[in-house]
Each structure stands twice: as C-alpha cells, then as structure tokens.
Amino acid sequence: MLQTETGYERRQTLRVGIIGTGYAARSRAEALRKDEQVKIVAVAGRTPQRSAAFAAEFGALAYSDWSSLFCEQRLDLVFVSTINRDHAAIARAALEAGIHTVVEYPLAFSAAEARSLVQLAAERRLLLHVEHIELLSGVHQLLRRELAGLGKLFAVRYITLTATHPAPDRWTYRPDLFGFPLTGAVSRIHRLVDLLGKVERVSCQLRYDGPDLPHRYSSCYCTAQLSFANGLLAVLTYGKGDSLWCSQRLLEFHGQRGGLLINGEEATLLRPGSAHPLETGSRRGLFEQDTRLVLDHLRQGSPLYVDTEKMLHALAVAEAAEQSAQTQQVVCVQD
C-alpha cells in the first residue's frame, strides 16, 4: 500500500467494499462513485438478488456474505451499512484483516465491545470511524451556536415518534437485529451528550406491542430520564409503529434567558414576549459529507468530527437505559 504517516497518497486508488444494500449503503456508494481515486470492488448484502443488482450497478463483485468478501478481496476500506447486530463482528473482522473501517451507528450493542474495537483499531493503526451524521446536520450546528445564549439550562425534551400503518416487516422492528431501542437509535443520546456533557444516571421504561412478540414487534415506545453530571435533566422518547397515531420530531431546550424549540424542520428561538424563527438548513447530503471527510482523513490526515469518548459514553448511557428498563431501577452509567 502507498500509505504515509497521515494517510494514503492521493494518486493511489482506494479499493473499497460495502457491506449492505439499503439506504445508507446506497448513499455511500453514490458518494464514492464521484471520486475518481476510489473503486468499489465488492458488495455483500443479506440477499443474493439485491447484492447482485447493487454490485452490478456500481461495477463491483457480489458476495453472499461478508466473511467471503474479506477472504477473497484485498480492501483498503470497508463501509459497514447492514443490520445493527452484525456491526461489531464485521468491524472486528475487518480490523483484524488490516482494513480501515467505517460503521453506521451503533458500533456495538455493548459499550465494552465498542471500546475493545476502538482499542484494536488503535493497536493496528487503522481508522475506525462510527458515522454520526446528526452532528453534521444544520439542526446540530444551530444548537451549538444558540444554546449558550439561553443561559443556564433548566430542562430538555427530545421526542422522536414515527407512526406507521401497517408496521413494516423490516429488521428495524426486530429486537435481536435492531437492538434495544435507544441503542439502535443511539444518535439521540449522542446528540445530547455532545451538547450537554456526561450522563450520570438513567431511568427508563419500554413497551413493545404486536402479535409476533418476542420475535418482532409492531410498535415500541421507550422513554428515559437522563440525569447529567451538570445537574440538568433531559427526557428522551423514541417510538415507532402502528399503535402510534402521529409522527413527531421535537427538541426543546429551556434555559434561564430563553428557550429553543425545534419542531420537525422549523426552529424557533423563544424570548420573553417574542419568538424568532431560525434557519435549520438542509438534511440532504450528510452521508456524502461524512464519506468525503473519511476519504480526506485517509489521504491527508484531516480531522474527523466524532469524539470517540463521547461516542462510547453514549453507548454506555444506552446500555444503562436498557438495564433500567429491565429492572425498573435507576441505573448509574458505567463508562
């Protein structure tokens, strides 16, 4: 390999593999196709038909499983965009094979497993990047700009509800494949950790519903109270399925000098006697932006945007929430 201290020489063509054929995998492939110094050489999905069609579209070879891909291909970089359950196993195999690795969140179902993967990547001097494009979004950049102006924060509420009728027959409705709801959707916790700091204690409740339990649910509703080290309380709610009847994306920050409300794509800064609309920007193109940052990091050593310790802490918070939901007790977060 033509590799320098900071990354790959720009003249070298990066040989890339993609694990998965869904939305995230396609977004990655479309972004990679725009770079003349990247060649997508292999694709492995969960079904042979989709893998073959995806690979043919992007000029790659299709594999029936990811282990065969690693055995038969020489890769510089792999993007892991498949079911959550398999992220950790695939990332470990890739790192042990000497391959730079990009994983969609969550990196693992347990914080200990995630930390061991981070350590493995450091020992092998390989890139392990966990996608958290919520940090790149216009909404998050707005929050970083405006929160200080609210003064000392008093309360936070974060709600994501998705009503679907009927509930889709997808892996994201299977606990064994998606994981505990706040682990599978750990980006919500990660956003709050990035903005507000460490969480000390968690109290969580979870309800599933559906005729195919425990194999598959048709609805879930998970709500957690997060107690931050700075004394702030935040309520985080995540739900989806056919027992919910309105979709909602809501973020509320209440401070001593004002409030900030983000409802869907609309943001409002609240002051005594006034409400000012704010521009949130577009949500489009974030996977492409993340992909470009990865390539620039490998070639030039430019920094990435995810703080590894914050990513690991968010997973530890999700793990504590799962324990709380099981025991109905307040659980202290163990990093």
Side-chain angles (χ1 to χ4, degrees), residues 6-44:
T6 57
Y8 285 85
E9 299 285 357
R10 179 165 289 277
R11 66 178 178 272
Q12 179 187 351
T13 297
L14 289 174
R15 294 172 57 83
V16 177
I18 297 177
I19 313 296
T21 57
Y23 173 79
R26 176 165 294 278
S27 298
R28 296 294 192 185
E30 290 173 351
L32 293 166
R33 183 158 58 178
K34 296 178 181 179
D35 191 308
E36 294 180 353
Q37 298 302 314
V38 168
K39 181 174 177 55
I40 303 172
V41 298
V43 172

Side-chain angles (χ1 to χ4, degrees), residues 183-319:
T183 302
V186 73
S187 63
R188 280 76 174 168
I189 297 174
H190 190 254
R191 164 169 278 162
L192 295 181
V193 166
D194 184 71
L195 295 169
L196 307 174
K198 285 200 167 188
V199 178
E200 290 187 337
R201 297 178 305 280
V202 182
S203 176
C204 182
Q205 292 183 310
L206 168 64
R207 184 178 183 185
Y208 289 131
D209 191 27
D212 300 322
L213 290 172
H215 173 70
R216 173 186 173 273
Y217 55 83
S218 58
S219 295
C220 80
Y221 188 85
C222 186
T223 187
Q225 185 181 74
L226 310 182
S227 299
F228 285 81
N230 58 15
L232 180 66
L233 293 179
V235 176
L236 174 62
T237 301
Y238 174 85
K240 60 189 177 186
D242 58 13
S243 290
L244 298 174
W245 291 91
C246 64
S247 296
Q248 188 175 22
R249 287 191 294 115
L250 182 69
L251 260 169
E252 293 178 359
F253 293 85
H254 302 271
Q256 289 180 330
R257 296 199 298 268
L260 186 59
L261 170 65
I262 299 177
N263 190 353
E265 300 300 314
E266 297 180 354
T268 306
L269 180 64
L270 305 171
R271 299 291 191 190
S274 65
H276 306 280
L278 300 174
E279 178 60 46
T280 61
S282 173
R283 299 172 65 197
R284 297 175 62 85
L286 296 181
F287 274 110
E288 181 173 351
Q289 186 177 347
D290 178 276
T291 305
R292 174 52 52 193
L293 288 169
V294 167
L295 296 177
D296 288 346
H297 175 80
L298 288 175
R299 290 167 174 159
Q300 304 163 11
S302 53
L304 289 166
Y305 64 94
V306 176
D307 183 300
T308 299
E309 287 303 318
K310 289 180 179 179
M311 180 272 293
L312 292 171
H313 182 66
L315 280 173
V317 174
E319 195 168 23

